Amino acid sequence: MLILSSTVVVILPSLVSSSDLTIKINSSLAISRKNLSHSTLSPSPLHQEVKMSKQVQARRLEGIDKNPWVEFVKLANENEAVNLGQGFPDFAPPEFSTEAFKQAVSGDFMLNQYTRGFGYPPLVKILAQFFGKLLEQDLDPLKNVLVTVGAYGALFYSFQALVDEGDEVILIEPYFDCYEPMTKMAGGCPVFVPLRPPPAHDGRLMSSGDWQLDPAELASKFTPRTKAIVINSPNNPLGKVYSRAELELIANLCKKHDVLCFSDEVYQWLVYDEEKHISIASLPGMWERTLTIGSAGKTFSVTGWKVGWVLGPDYLLKHLRTVHQNCLYHCPTQLQEAVSSSFERELRFFGQPESYFVQLHKDIQKKRDHMVNSLLTIGMTPVVPQGTYFLIADISTFKKKMPHLPGSEGEAYDSRFIKWMIKNKGLAAIPVSVFYSSQQKQHLDHYIRFCFIKNDSTFKAMDDKLQQWKKELEA
Ligand SMILES: Cc1ncc(COP(=O)(O)O)c(C=O)c1O
């Protein structure tokens, strides 16, 4: 039995032999191989659904089984749109990382085997050393570091290990979309609090830093049932980098109400201008109640490697280890070796011009500025991000001019707009409403998210499309 999307399918033995099936699968892969990394495969017509007398899906999936990404990625591919939607670099990762991976694959044959389940020893050692320095903590590689399948894995373990039925988890809107389903799958109850844009601004471009929490509103969300708050700095999709004062506000509430903090810091090296990333775990009294989550994918521009980690006190991490032990148990050894060697290199060059972290944010900041200027030419108003490789742009002017775009009933305006933009302008982005709870979606349906970690030819293609669009607007 194969499971494709959320549909249960069986392969009818009378219609297909195992060798036919191999050909079928291989040929469909062959067709899409040139764009395999971001294409969607369709189920074969040979597959049929079984009508079960019982409910097929587990109840914990109710209400979370529709994923907006699949739809937008598919539409972008079908229309060969310039893909500024999904967050991945379309240029080569640093050579020292790919060389380290080649070496791991062709060198010691034992790297083909299982390693320590909770993390390859050289990797946990260098992560403890590297982040111990940043967090000003003496980290024990065996107790305070857990290697996971991407930051997604670290997030999933955090919710599964520490959130119980009925626990409330505070999510700050807009939020990386998996936080809500992960809370619900653990039996928890998401409680939302928004970052609010300023009511009016003086004609200058807004910065992501202008979007702020209302301290009284945030405080009102903490109840005796609150188990955790999730913070994401720099934040996807807004690009907000929390200031020390904002982190102190959150930290004080966590301590006052005895609440845990899941701190998603995957974009910590991508901060611009004079901004500085601060880990909430480095604030007084916060290490004890914080899980700090990171991603090699974002750190070394290798999103397909899916190596992540979580750092925290042993009394919390031991429960994440229990989930890991009984869930995935292990992450690929060769990739862990390549990530550990990349970190060793970065530690040698820490803060110096040769450091990839130092170079990357400078290069990406130029791309950010380029995209901000390009979007302004057609009348979108970007919110300038302090961090990440995303920006959100206000499309209110388009909403006023063409309020009735086609779409399904109840579909948010930003989602309709993106479908229209993909089909008519050949540009793909992501609606910001997918980063909001269902209560807030209607009020924030006039922003769309673009990704700017793209190569020069993608930027050229974007600019060509925008120039064409501008001409049409002026005609
Ligand atoms: C805020 C945030 N957290 C976590 C992740 C997942 O990272 P990984 O690919 O390492 O699982 C992403 C990926 O887009 C992200 O944007």
Side-chain angles (χ1 to χ4, degrees), residues 87 149-153 155 176 179 232 236 264 266-267 294-298 303 306-308 390:
V149 175
Y152 261 109
L155 286 163
F176 181 49
Y179 301 159
N232 174 212
N236 173 11
D264 180 342
V266 299
Y267 299 106
S295 159
K298 314 293 175 183
T303 58
K306 293 298 290 183
V307 175
F390 302 110

Side-chain angles (χ1 to χ4, degrees), residues 69 86-88 148-155 175-179 231-237 264-267 293-299 302-309 388-390 435 449:
W69 302 96
Q86 268 180 304
F88 61 89
T148 57
V149 175
Y152 261 109
L155 286 163
Y175 53 88
F176 181 49
D177 58 317
C178 72
Y179 301 159
I231 64 162
N232 174 212
S233 180
N235 161 282
N236 173 11
D264 180 342
E265 303 183 14
V266 299
Y267 299 106
I293 291 167
S295 159
K298 314 293 175 183
T299 303
V302 287
T303 58
W305 286 15
K306 293 298 290 183
V307 175
W309 56 85
T388 75
Y389 41 61
F390 302 110
F435 301 95
R449 190 198 76 172

Side-chain angles (χ1 to χ4, degrees), residues 67-92:
N67 186 307
W69 302 96
V70 178
E71 191 184 1
F72 288 104
V73 172
K74 186 162 174 276
L75 198 63
N77 285 337
E78 280 167 5
N79 289 274
E80 296 188 5
V82 183
N83 193 348
L84 304 167
Q86 268 180 304
F88 61 89
D90 63 357
F91 49 77

Side-chain angles (χ1 to χ4, degrees), residues 243-315:
S243 67
R244 184 172 291 278
E246 288 172 314
L247 293 174
E248 278 168 358
L249 169 75
I250 297 169
N252 289 338
L253 287 166
C254 286
K255 286 183 276 184
K256 180 172 172 196
H257 296 274
D258 195 15
V259 162
L260 300 174
C261 179
F262 301 166
S263 184
D264 180 342
E265 303 183 14
V266 299
Y267 299 106
Q268 77 176 98
W269 307 109
L270 288 160
V271 291
Y272 310 120
D273 307 316
E274 301 310 312
E275 294 303 331
K276 231 178 123 16
H277 168 76
I278 301 168
S279 290
I280 195 164
S282 69
L283 300 189
M286 282 308 285
W287 164 257
E288 294 83 336
R289 53 181 69 250
T290 303
L291 294 176
T292 305
I293 291 167
S295 159
K298 314 293 175 183
T299 303
F300 296 110
S301 305
V302 287
T303 58
W305 286 15
K306 293 298 290 183
V307 175
W309 56 85
V310 48
L311 314 170
D314 187 42
Y315 87 100

